Amino acid sequence: MSQTKQQPSLKIIPLGGLHEIGKNTCILEYNDEIILIDAGIAFPTEGMHGVNIVLPDMTYLRKNRHKIKGMIATHGHEDHIGGIPHHLKQFDIPKIYGPKLAIALVRDKLDEAGLSNRTKLQTVGPREMVRISPSFLVEFIRNTHSMADSFTLAIHTPLGIVIHTGDFKIDHTPVDGEYFDFQKLAEHGEKGVLCLLSDSTNAEVPGSTASESSVYPNLDRIIAQAEKRLMITTFASSVHRVNIILQLAQKHKRKVAVVGRSMLNVIAHARELGYVKCPEDLFISLKAANSLPDEQVLILTTGSQGEPLAALTRISRGAHRHLKVRPGDTIVFSANPIPGNTIAVVNTIDRLMMQGAKVIYGRKHGIHVSGHGCQEDHKLMLALTRPKFFVPVHGEHRMLVKHAETAYKMGVPADNIVIVKNGDIIEVSANKIAVAGEVPSGIELVDQAGVVHDHVMQDRQQLAEDGVVTVAAPISWEGKLITPPEVHLRGVVTKVEQSLLKQLIIRAIENILENRWDEFASSDRTPRVDWSYLQEEVENTLQRLVKRELRSYPLVIFMLQTPDYSDPNPEPTSSNRKVYRRRRPTASTAS
């Protein structure tokens, strides 16, 4: 009797980048080998108080760290490489492969974080092939994108070739002369592509994405017409756009002052690697710029997305130490807001206009083009690769659905297309593709100190919504208040007089001490008090009182100051203070 062997399968597990824009991270797993494709970040929403960046939940990789053989960075955008330093603090990645510009930016991040010795970095070039593990041979194929030095990947596995497009657009006239390697894609399509994972960002947009070169004449006209000082903001990582702006500054005899750390960093690496070519004397300091005639100055700055700490945002608020808006300034937004940033951008534009600047923004001026392909670009990718299976990636859900529709129209059978979410395990065999489970796929929030845990975010949210009430009560061994409790309200909106609330709080604490002290104190020779139990009972009582009187749920912080065992009559000090933080009460505690 013959036994059927289980077919080997390749697992594809996206941890980020689906149903969203950002934190692109994908796992390919075969037997006991894992490779990572990109490790991006996203930026916090308004409700994520104090959070700097958002990462994918990396629980699966932490549990399977022994399987990790290497990582590939497709290009140097933050939503593809920004998470690398954070991940290296949790698990080892033996080697990271990527294009020269991306690896230069990663090296800076690792040096700054003190993690240079945690991995090896290796640059790769077009058509180079790297054996990362016995089951994964990766081929790097030049593509075109808004960032220079970007790759599509052909991943050779025991089951066949998987094409991961990375971020791409079809640009037939690239600024840097690095053309999309259609020939190599077509070769793989002719031999047979098992599965295509393709960028879906502009899947809803008909037609083709315009070439980056199309921005040049429109920026040229605007710079020529600017009579006084000129400021231009764009994505710091848009090396092609930055190169165009610098070329036009030379043409119109304007010196360039660069503002913003990320902009300075990218320009330095791009010049070193030859992606930006301009003379050294084109650049001047801000101090020197302020001493030149306005018509000879171009300020290139970060802040195109209204980021709170970016240079242009601070300029718009009058908070930049060296730059102030002057009436007659021309300020150009050579970027469109990414989803979620529109309000911040228009608020920045309004503030700049109110200070007398002429602000040029919006699609009608032709000063920005996307770095992602539209529907006709997607069709060309599908036509060249002719995949057996198709997985749309890098986009919100409606984009994935639209891209799947395009693939179906291009001849990919419906049963061979899967639309998935972060954490889904896609199993691909020689004859089948299916979702076969899931792994943890939430988010990890990071601030200056490290990972922000759920209970901390709940406290921050509660503080933002309802404020905080703090109560400090020093209590003696005899169960008496040594001094009246201190009560403070911060960010609490209430019609109740604070003096009345304070009286109610003092009365509630005294009532517990007078009527229930025997529950907490023993009558042995050596006095003992269950301070934790006392703290819990007082805290619960105060939580109910505050909720009842204020009709809201402020965070209640109760500081119980307890005496030292060696001194039966101590004065309360900060050294014996305990601070207990309470989250939003549940129905049982708040009723």
Side-chain angles (χ1 to χ4, degrees):
M1 184 176 178
S2 62
Q3 292 183 343
T4 57
K5 293 183 178 179
Q6 186 175 358
Q7 274 192 322
S9 65
L10 171 72
K11 293 180 182 177
I12 301 171
I13 310 172
L15 294 180
L18 300 183
H19 296 201
E20 62 184 348
I21 301 294
K23 61 185 178 70
N24 299 283
T25 307
C26 188
I27 296 169
L28 266 65
E29 181 176 354
Y30 189 85
N31 292 333
D32 289 331
E33 301 167 36
I34 283 177
I35 64 169
L36 282 72
I37 301 174
D38 293 330
I41 61 171
F43 294 101
T45 60
E46 286 187 3
M48 297 177 181
H49 306 286
V51 171
N52 293 342
I53 62 170
V54 181
L55 298 169
D57 185 335
M58 305 301 277
T59 300
Y60 185 77
L61 284 174
R62 286 192 290 267
K63 289 182 177 179
N64 292 275
R65 65 185 73 198
H66 59 286
K67 297 181 180 180
I68 300 172
K69 305 304 178 185
M71 177 191 153
I72 304 142
T74 57
H75 64 287
H77 274 146
E78 282 294 294
D79 62 335
H80 292 259
I81 64 169
I84 293 174
H86 304 280
H87 303 328
L88 282 172
K89 295 175 183 177
Q90 304 177 63
F91 49 81
D92 290 332
I93 302 173
K95 189 176 284 190
I96 300 173
Y97 306 84
K100 290 182 290 184
L101 183 53
I103 293 297
L105 295 172
V106 170
R107 183 174 286 109
D108 279 356
K109 291 178 180 294
L110 300 187
D111 288 345
E112 185 177 344
L115 297 169
S116 300
N117 61 342
R118 291 296 299 270
T119 189
K120 295 180 180 179
L121 303 177
Q122 181 173 324
T123 60
V124 292
R127 296 197 172 189
E128 189 170 340
M129 300 183 75
V130 174
R131 171 69 67 180
I132 297 181
S133 72
S135 299
F136 294 109
L137 175 66
V138 180
E139 183 178 4
F140 295 83
I141 301 171
R142 171 66 70 218
N143 71 18
T144 47
H145 182 44
S146 55
M147 185 166 199
D149 212 1
S150 181
F151 284 127
T152 289
L153 308 175
I155 305 161
H156 300 248
T157 77
L159 299 181
I161 292 175
V162 175
I163 300 285
H164 189 297
T165 66
D167 289 4
F168 81 97
K169 64 188 277 187
I170 305 296
D171 193 337
H172 298 289
T173 55
V175 172
D176 59 2
E178 293 278 347
Y179 295 93
F180 209 130
D181 193 350
F182 298 129
Q183 180 184 349
K184 183 56 67 174
L185 285 177
E187 286 179 13
H188 288 303
E190 184 67 26
K191 295 174 184 176
V193 170
L194 178 67
C195 185
L196 172 66
L197 287 74
S198 188
D199 174 9
S200 306
T201 307
N202 282 335
E204 300 170 287
V205 184
S208 300
T209 302
S211 169
E212 184 68 29
S213 302
S214 66
V215 171
Y216 186 100
N218 299 316
L219 281 175
D220 188 13
R221 182 184 67 257
I222 288 168
I223 294 173
Q225 292 173 351
E227 297 177 356
K228 294 187 178 181
R229 193 172 60 168
L230 182 65
M231 295 187 200
I232 301 180
T233 182
T234 190
F235 294 102
S237 55
S238 294
V239 174
H240 301 317
R241 188 76 45 81
V242 169
N243 198 26
I244 288 173
I245 293 166
L246 295 176
Q247 290 174 8
L248 290 171
Q250 285 181 266
K251 176 181 177 181
H252 294 281
K253 296 181 172 53
R254 287 182 181 260
K255 296 294 185 180
V256 178
V258 181
V259 184
R261 181 182 175 191
S262 57
M263 186 75 76
L264 286 162
N265 191 34
V266 171
I267 289 176
H269 286 301
R271 292 185 69 203
E272 182 180 339
L273 296 170
Y275 296 111
V276 169
K277 298 175 183 177
C278 58
E280 182 65 37
D281 62 4
L282 178 66
F283 299 99
I284 57 172
S285 66
L286 272 179
K287 184 177 180 181
N290 287 328
S291 65
L292 283 177
D294 285 352
E295 64 272 12
Q296 295 179 20
V297 174
L298 188 155
I299 295 167
L300 182 56
T301 178
T302 57
S304 66
Q305 298 303 301
E307 307 96 316
L309 299 179
L312 188 59
T313 307
R314 289 185 285 123
I315 293 167
S316 75
R317 297 182 184 277
H320 197 283
R321 287 183 297 173
H322 305 296
L323 272 176
K324 305 294 178 186
V325 176
R326 301 172 190 164
D329 282 348
T330 298
I331 302 178
V332 180
F333 278 72
S334 185
N336 291 334
I338 62 175
N341 290 349
T342 302
I343 293 174
V345 171
V346 297
N347 287 342
T348 301
I349 292 170
D350 281 348
R351 289 192 295 268
L352 294 168
M353 285 183 167
M354 286 188 282
Q355 295 175 64
K358 177 185 178 183
V359 184
I360 299 174
Y361 65 96
R363 301 178 189 275
K364 64 181 180 181
H365 295 286
I367 52 178
H368 177 70
V369 293
S370 175
H372 300 269
C374 296
Q375 290 177 2
E376 296 305 314
D377 301 308
H378 295 165
K379 290 176 183 177
L380 180 55
M381 177 62 71
L382 286 157
L384 289 169
T385 56
R386 293 186 283 173
K388 183 172 186 176
F389 302 115
F390 178 69
V391 183
V393 296
H394 196 303
E396 295 168 354
H397 182 71
R398 65 186 185 280
M399 302 170 186
L400 307 181
V401 171
K402 202 68 179 178
H403 202 173
E405 291 174 4
T406 299
Y408 178 73
K409 291 176 183 176
M410 291 294 295
V412 182
D415 290 343
N416 289 9
I417 301 171
V418 293
I419 298 174
V420 295
K421 62 183 186 299
N422 293 332
D424 282 347
I425 302 172
I426 308 165
E427 282 200 355
V428 184
S429 64
N431 300 306
K432 185 180 178 182
I433 185 169
V435 177
E438 60 183 12
V439 303
S441 60
I443 57 175
E444 295 179 356
L445 308 178
V446 179
D447 65 7
Q448 297 285 7
V451 175
V452 183
H453 296 289
D454 289 346
H455 70 276
V456 176
M457 282 309 301
Q458 289 173 6
D459 283 355
R460 291 181 182 180
Q461 186 65 30
Q462 196 169 350
L463 282 167
E465 291 179 357
D466 296 316
V468 59
V469 176
T470 60
V471 180
I475 298 174
S476 71
W477 288 100
E478 291 76 27
K480 305 293 184 184
L481 286 169
I482 299 173
T483 60
E486 293 183 15
V487 181
H488 297 283
L489 280 67
R490 294 288 185 272
V492 177
V493 178
T494 175
K495 295 180 180 179
V496 178
E497 290 289 337
Q498 288 196 31
S499 58
L500 174 60
L501 183 63
K502 183 175 181 179
Q503 290 174 14
L504 293 172
I505 288 173
I506 294 172
R507 194 178 306 157
I509 296 173
E510 288 176 338
N511 189 45
I512 290 176
L513 297 177
E514 289 172 6
N515 299 320
R516 299 177 57 192
W517 182 248
D518 290 344
E519 295 180 29
F520 314 114
S522 68
S523 56
D524 298 340
R525 291 182 181 180
T526 304
R528 296 180 188 174
V529 177
D530 189 341
W531 297 112
S532 296
Y533 180 36
L534 174 62
Q535 181 273 328
E536 182 180 350
E537 289 301 297
V538 172
E539 191 174 63
N540 288 339
T541 299
L542 295 183
Q543 186 71 73
R544 290 193 295 268
L545 184 152
V546 167
K547 184 259 181 179
R548 183 181 68 244
E549 297 297 328
L550 302 187
R551 303 293 180 184
S552 62
Y553 295 90
L555 183 69
V556 174
I557 298 179
F558 178 58
M559 294 177 284
L560 172 59
Q561 298 169 270
T562 58
D564 193 317
Y565 279 102
S566 62
D567 185 356
N569 298 297
E571 289 295 320
T573 64
S574 60
S575 63
N576 51 34
R577 176 179 295 174
K578 295 181 181 179
V579 180
Y580 300 86
R581 301 177 71 88
R582 294 292 288 177
R583 290 176 286 178
R584 183 184 296 278
T586 62
S588 60
T589 61
S591 58

